[in-house]
Amino acid sequence: MPGLYLDQASLPAGTVQVFQETDKPDPKVLGGRNCYVVESGTKYWSNGEEWLVEAGSGLGASREVTYITVALGILGQSNELGATCNFNATANKYFYGSAAAPSQGIFEPVKLAPQGFGSMFTYAADLLARDGISVRLMNGSLGGASMLNEFTGFAWVAGRANSTNYRGKRTASLGAGDLGHRGDFVFENGRLYECTVGRSDLAFLDSLTPIMFNGVPYYSTSSIVRGAAAALTAASKPTFSASAIVGDTVVDGAITWTCVSSTTTAVDHGNGLFVFKYDDSNFDPYYACARLATELVKYGNDNNPAPLSPRNQYVYLQNGQSDAGILSALYTRAVAQVAAYFSNKRISVICGLSVFSTTIGQAAYDTLETSFGGGGLASTPDYINGPISTMLSSMGFGKFKNPSDVDGFFGNIYFGTSLYRALGTSIDGLLYPNGPARIHVNSSGMVACAKALAPRLSKILRRSD
């Protein structure tokens, strides 16, 4: 087999040797995107630009891999965002920058999420690079976000409450990546109303100069910052007219509701809520999905500024803690709508589930796992016929697919790794001992999560078992 062969003496201990394009054998084969990776124990990789071989024992014959480049967007919450690592980027380098492909500038977060806390997906990208898969990461996660509340959105059905704070609609006004957000929604007397005067929130901000929000200076945020809760509804319910037309308003204490729809056809009813459909104008209240989709479609790589083909654009949906405790039917609807949104844009979707929280408990996570596999941790999962897959199929998107299936415009939705199932419930050593509800993984947890994610990701990204 043609390839690059080295003996142990050519690699001084503790060094990394870099082989540029001109040093590689058989450029014609390489030009055809076949790379030959030199083995050095478990530490070898190729990024298509240069070969990096870490010194060590176990050097042997080369093995052939096919080099591919993919764009991978991440949509989750704080664990996925990476707001969980030690902030020391030097001590935790694998979570902040790629060791495998430094010339490609893989740093986490590369796009969208600005805080630079490191992530499990950066290390997962390094593991994939060793298989000849160059992952262009874009992290669109939103700390504290729920698939139901923040990524999909819903309306309370006759559920407006007295003396209660609601989120009001806020247009983009702060600059530095600020997108604003939609207000909360209620469905009253046959009409859909949006809160247009209420609490203001903040999400997705990246600024080198401080921006004042609620009297606090922010340089950047990719977590939800809740605004002041001074805006409350009245102590008794006002009248919502059955004949209201779009644009009519209802003053409700310090809250103002504005009629945005006089029909129910645009919303999906489930369990006392209207869960917005992926093609509804009220879907995605913080514009998180739209923001990530835009970057995925336009984002190329360092050596080819043109966007990658739709076949090589993916989004990884991985949430958990913020949705733990809700009904499985609601979580099913939320994940299905988010998956359908990206799939309809010809972005392939990989659906996973985040890591277990010992404080939140197994019952709540079993509810989420049920949405995917039809049962909790003790059950044998059936993802192909599970609730989310069944719902997507009924919507015309096909069921969850095995990696070997041929993808098309619809049905390009895959099941990734459930970290809850992969790592189980005995994970005290992988979690920070303090913090909110013990939901954040530590550095060891980051490594464990990355190693659990990478094998399945590799199969999906290569479309082969």
Side-chain angles (χ1 to χ4, degrees), residues 267-298:
V267 287
D268 184 16
H269 186 207
N271 300 100
L273 300 178
F274 281 127
V275 180
F276 292 124
K277 292 183 178 179
Y278 71 95
D279 55 355
D280 185 75
S281 61
N282 303 310
F283 175 83
D284 190 20
Y286 284 93
Y287 310 112
C289 298
R291 188 171 185 254
L292 185 55
T294 298
E295 291 295 335
L296 279 167
V297 169
K298 76 179 184 181

Side-chain angles (χ1 to χ4, degrees), residues 175-201:
D178 174 40
L179 301 176
H181 52 72
R182 300 301 301 264
D184 280 326
F185 291 88
V186 296
F187 189 77
E188 297 281 352
N189 215 352
R191 301 292 187 266
L192 183 66
Y193 291 85
E194 180 179 10
C195 178
T196 50
V197 177
R199 184 192 77 236
S200 290
D201 291 350

Side-chain angles (χ1 to χ4, degrees), residues 79 82-96 117-121 123 423 427-433 440-451:
N79 265 326
T84 58
C85 270
N86 186 312
F87 294 167
N88 187 333
T90 301
N92 298 279
K93 61 181 180 179
Y94 292 119
F95 310 125
Y96 289 86
F117 283 154
S119 169
M120 65 183 74
F121 284 95
Y123 188 50
L423 301 180
I427 60 169
D428 280 348
L430 304 181
L431 299 176
Y432 275 125
H440 291 157
V441 295
N442 57 24
S443 295
S444 296
M446 285 287 191
V447 172
C449 289
K451 288 184 175 180

